[in-house]
């Protein structure tokens, strides 16, 4: 598996999903070796990462731009590409992906030094399947031999995990006047997707779109499942301060920032003082406290980073997600239902959730209605209990590991010959 996402940190929805997927595959007849692009001694990869990788017993091959291939020929190409890339930077032909005034383009995620290192890793590990995370890393396949597509024997199966239909996500951010982490067109995304035998979609609606974009590739849906559900069963409401405990867990991105900002603004402008307590956790806390400029009401508690999902979900009664835009699957909404928690969200937040999920949710017409619905719910403990029970029942069938990852496992087995022990 190739990625530049440190998924073992499990600090964002994407990281949580990747971590759960890798652990599932490792437990079910696969050996997942990860080729990770992350610069040593920086926030991309440090000693804490090494500790987490060891404790989770993950097979991670960390690579950075100061590591060169071992073969003499690839060393020469590595130096030539590195020099060419640096010249392009100096001439201004390639702008930094950190440029704050715009969304970086697809070609800016291309690191020439990584191609030969990836080819060398593939030749040494000899995988039956290559799984690329996000289309931005599709360029790594350039040096990998395609082999004869008429037979599975000896051929490396190529799989892409999309996470989102990225051109649609970029457009949704653009309409809000926000930068997205990548600027990509439908044509660019389609070109990348067509390099793969199997495309992994995060939810059914996006699977249909991806199939249109790459008609000759197979498409499967792979959502998200949580194995650690300690203290997840429905429970009595918290009695802390005799208030409903409402939770929001999120990393920092434009969509999350807009969502939680809308709720806090509604809390502050409401004529009624909130009779619930909002507990916010995750990377979004830093932005709220340091950069948002928002005045945080007394009824809002900042928890910061958390070590375990179960710790957070056992401390709240209801989960709120006033999301207004974006694509993919809202991982925090899947987590809420998986932990048996009622969900207060928007129609956009329900996209990708299974039929029946509405029985465990209060769906607001838009973000501005969320605060009022929470006010009403805080005075109706019977409804909270009923919604929580419905969430727990849905979780048992719709968010099990076999349901979330079964189609992916079957496709990988078929694509790689179906032997009992495969390498990814």
């Amino acid at each position: 598996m190739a990625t530049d996402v440190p998924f073992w940190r499990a600090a964002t929805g994407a990281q949580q999903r990747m971590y759960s997927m890798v652990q599932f595959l490792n437990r079910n007849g696969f050996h997942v070796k990860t080729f990770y692009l992350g610069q040593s001694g920086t926030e991309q990869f440090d000693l804490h990462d090494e500790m987490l990788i060891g404790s989770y017993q993950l097979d991670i091959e960390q690579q950075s731009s100061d590591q060169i291939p071992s073969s003499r020929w690839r060393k020469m190409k590595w130096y030539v590409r590195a020099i060419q890339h640096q010249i392009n930077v100096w001439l201004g032909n390639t702008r930094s992906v950190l440029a704050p005034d715009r969304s970086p383009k697809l070609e800016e995620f291309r690191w020439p030094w990584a191609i030969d290192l990836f080819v060398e890793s593939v030749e040494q590990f000899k995988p039956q399947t290559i799984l690329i995370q996000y289309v931005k890393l599709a360029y790594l396949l350039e040096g990998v031999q395609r082999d004869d597509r008429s037979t599975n024997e000896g051929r490396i199966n190529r799989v892409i995990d999309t996470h989102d239909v990225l051109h649609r996500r970029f457009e949704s951010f653009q309409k809000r006047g926000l930068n997205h982490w990548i600027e990509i067109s439908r044509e660019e995304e389609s070109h990348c997707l067509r390099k793969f035998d199997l495309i992994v979609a995060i939810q059914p609606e996006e699977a249909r779109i991806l199939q249109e974009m790459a008609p000759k590739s197979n498409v499967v849906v792979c959502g998200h499942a949580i194995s650690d559900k300690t203290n997840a069963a429905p429970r009595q409401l918290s009695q802390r301060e005799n208030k409903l405990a409402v939770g929001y867990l999120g990393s920092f991105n434009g969509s999350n920032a807009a969502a939680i900002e809308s709720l806090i603004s509604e809390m502050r402008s409401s004529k009624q003082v909130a009779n619930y307590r909002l507990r916010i956790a995750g990377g979004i806390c830093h932005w709220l406290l340091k950069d948002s400029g928002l005045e945080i009401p007394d009824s809002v508690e900042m928890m910061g980073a958390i070590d375990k999902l179960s710790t957070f979900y056992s401390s709240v009664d209801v989960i709120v997600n006033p999301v207004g835009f974006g694509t993919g699957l809202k991982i925090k909404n899947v987590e809420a239902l998986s932990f048996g928690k009622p969900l207060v969200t928007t129609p956009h937040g329900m996209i990708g959730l299974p039929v029946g999920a509405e029985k465990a949710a209060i769906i607001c017409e838009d973000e501005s209605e969320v605060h009022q619905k929470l006010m009403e719910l805080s005075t109706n403990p019977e409804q909270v209990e009923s919604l929580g029970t419905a969430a727990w029942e849905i979780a048992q069938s719709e968010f099990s590991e076999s349901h979330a990852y079964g189609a992916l496992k079957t496709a990988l087995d078929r694509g790689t010959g179906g032997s009992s022990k495969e390498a990814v």
Side-chain angles (χ1 to χ4, degrees), residues 64-323:
S64 60
S65 61
D66 55 355
Q67 295 167 255
I68 60 178
S70 59
S71 75
R72 182 176 301 176
W73 171 241
R74 289 202 177 110
K75 281 181 183 178
M76 293 173 61
K77 289 200 298 180
W78 185 92
Y79 283 118
V80 169
R81 284 173 171 170
I83 292 170
Q84 289 175 335
H85 181 71
Q86 190 59 58
I87 290 173
N88 285 334
V89 172
W90 287 336
L91 292 176
N93 295 334
T94 302
R95 296 180 63 183
S96 169
V97 298
L98 299 178
D101 59 336
R102 64 178 183 92
S103 300
K105 297 185 178 183
L106 176 63
E107 63 265 21
E108 294 177 62
F109 290 91
R110 177 188 176 89
W111 299 109
W113 57 266
I115 298 173
D116 289 331
L117 287 173
F118 184 65
V119 171
E120 193 165 272
S121 179
V122 168
E123 290 177 352
Q124 291 174 357
F125 186 56
K126 303 187 187 310
Q128 283 78 45
T129 296
I130 292 174
L131 171 60
I132 301 287
Q133 295 288 345
Y134 292 99
V135 297
K136 63 180 176 178
L137 295 185
Y139 73 89
L140 290 176
L141 294 178
E142 290 177 11
V144 178
Q145 183 64 35
R146 186 68 162 171
D147 292 324
D148 185 6
R149 293 180 62 91
S150 64
T151 175
N152 280 335
E153 186 175 354
R155 184 174 66 84
I156 300 177
N157 194 35
R158 299 173 175 217
V159 182
I160 178 77
D161 188 7
T162 59
H163 294 262
D164 297 278
V165 179
L166 283 178
H167 76 274
R168 285 169 60 111
R169 183 174 172 84
F170 165 68
E171 290 167 0
S172 72
F173 273 64
Q174 194 175 42
K175 288 177 181 177
R176 296 279 183 135
L178 297 171
N179 287 333
H180 185 240
W181 64 265
I182 186 172
E183 177 183 338
I184 188 170
S185 68
R186 179 185 172 94
E187 291 72 25
E188 288 174 318
E189 190 171 11
S190 178
H191 177 73
C192 290
L193 292 172
R194 294 180 186 208
K195 299 177 181 179
F196 295 91
D197 306 297
L198 179 69
I199 298 171
V200 179
I202 201 169
Q203 45 107 324
E205 180 184 347
E206 294 197 349
R208 290 189 288 272
I209 297 170
L210 294 166
Q211 190 68 81
E212 293 174 0
M213 294 170 66
K216 293 184 179 180
S217 302
N218 294 323
V219 180
V220 297
V221 175
C222 177
H224 180 53
I226 302 164
S227 57
D228 174 22
K229 296 182 182 178
T230 308
N231 301 322
R235 64 185 187 87
Q236 293 296 313
L237 299 184
S238 63
Q239 298 301 312
R240 187 182 296 106
E241 302 177 14
N242 294 317
K243 288 186 177 182
L244 185 74
V246 178
Y248 181 86
L249 172 62
S251 59
F252 173 72
N253 62 49
S255 180
N256 285 347
I260 199 63
E261 182 178 11
S262 71
L263 177 55
I264 291 177
S265 296
E266 287 295 325
M267 293 173 71
R268 290 202 57 81
S269 62
S270 175
K271 295 179 181 179
Q272 298 173 289
V273 178
N275 53 4
Y276 61 87
R277 185 159 188 80
L278 178 60
R279 311 193 76 193
I280 303 176
I284 196 70
C285 292
H286 180 83
W287 175 79
L288 284 169
L289 293 171
K290 301 294 184 181
D291 303 316
S292 70
L294 290 173
E295 186 176 348
I296 309 300
D298 293 338
S299 54
V300 176
E301 176 186 351
M302 298 291 180
M303 298 178 65
I306 56 171
D307 293 329
K308 295 181 68 176
L309 285 177
S310 55
T311 301
F312 172 73
Y313 284 99
S314 64
S315 72
V316 298
D317 308 307
V318 173
I319 294 298
V320 64
N321 185 15
V323 60

